[in-house]
Amino acid sequence: AMANALEHAPEQALRAAVAAWRSWMASGMHAEGLQWLRRALTASPEVSPMRVRALFATAVFEVRVGRTAEALPLGRSIAELGRRDDDPVRRADAAHLHCLLTWLAAEWKIIDRLLDTAAVDLGSVPPVHASHDHLRALVALSRGDPETALRYLDSSLHWLRETQRNVPPFFSVCTLAFSIAQYEGITMP
């Protein structure tokens, strides 16, 4: 079905790939999902909100297969598409997704500047503010700064309370994770 859609209805192929990416991720089908997303993006090059979602999914797969550097140009593309969008919610979301991908790629030298720049694009979009402040908290925790992280988590909760109940899913769920192992009787990360 995907192969046929790529040839005869590329926009539908792009929508199908975006609809399926989380399922591919959950099933461990990273390489296959990445292949379908790339093919759909190539077949349907038109600028659209669906393209932004496909670029994000592609970047997440790139990170999952260990190619974090590939996420950065995809994040920049998402940000560029967002800057050209007249819709304030999509513009804010694109700026936030760029920051999220930059964090996933561990680009510590530029993340603060991007977070600050994106905050301007957030305007008064509570759901994206909530997700963005949560990301800022994760960045602070990544640097060992729990006080700053708590401030941003409190701010994220504020924006969640300001978010209307009928908005579609919006929160980019991310957590810090690390492995723990025993070395000579000492538990270490």
Side-chain angles (χ1 to χ4, degrees):
M2 280 291 287
N4 186 50
L6 284 169
E7 186 176 339
H8 300 290
E11 306 83 24
Q12 287 181 342
L14 188 64
R15 275 195 304 277
V18 167
W21 83 270
R22 285 184 174 89
S23 176
W24 290 325
M25 180 74 69
S27 302
M29 299 170 62
H30 303 140
E32 183 173 356
L34 188 54
Q35 172 198 22
W36 285 117
L37 282 159
R38 283 184 181 154
R39 289 177 67 190
L41 283 163
T42 299
S44 183
E46 295 80 20
V47 173
S48 69
M50 191 60 59
R51 183 169 188 78
V52 169
R53 294 176 64 198
L55 288 168
F56 179 72
T58 301
V60 171
F61 275 122
E62 291 288 7
V63 170
R64 290 297 282 241
V65 299
R67 294 191 297 249
T68 56
E70 298 296 323
L72 293 174
L74 293 167
R76 285 190 294 273
S77 294
I78 289 169
E80 178 58 33
L81 292 174
R83 280 190 289 278
R84 291 188 271 156
D85 198 317
D86 292 334
D87 182 270
V89 174
R90 289 194 303 258
R91 189 172 48 250
D93 192 47
H96 170 66
L97 293 176
H98 182 206
C99 293
L100 180 60
L101 292 171
T102 302
W103 176 68
L104 287 174
E107 288 295 321
W108 300 111
K109 292 180 181 178
I110 62 172
I111 188 65
D112 292 318
R113 179 180 53 79
L114 289 178
L115 287 165
D116 291 342
T117 302
V120 173
D121 289 327
L122 299 181
S124 59
V125 184
V128 183
H129 261 291
S131 193
H132 195 69
D133 282 348
H134 179 260
L135 176 60
R136 282 185 175 266
L138 292 176
V139 170
L141 284 173
S142 297
R143 293 180 170 146
D145 185 355
E147 292 83 17
T148 299
L150 283 173
R151 267 197 347 266
Y152 281 119
L153 289 172
D154 284 341
S155 181
S156 181
L157 287 172
H158 162 77
W159 288 110
L160 285 171
R161 286 189 292 273
E162 295 294 317
T163 300
Q164 295 178 358
R165 295 187 188 273
N166 61 346
V167 298
F170 61 88
F171 205 88
S172 301
V173 178
C174 295
T175 60
L176 295 180
F178 55 91
S179 300
I180 297 178
Q182 289 277 335
Y183 296 100
E184 299 180 9
I186 300 171
T187 303
M188 301 178 72

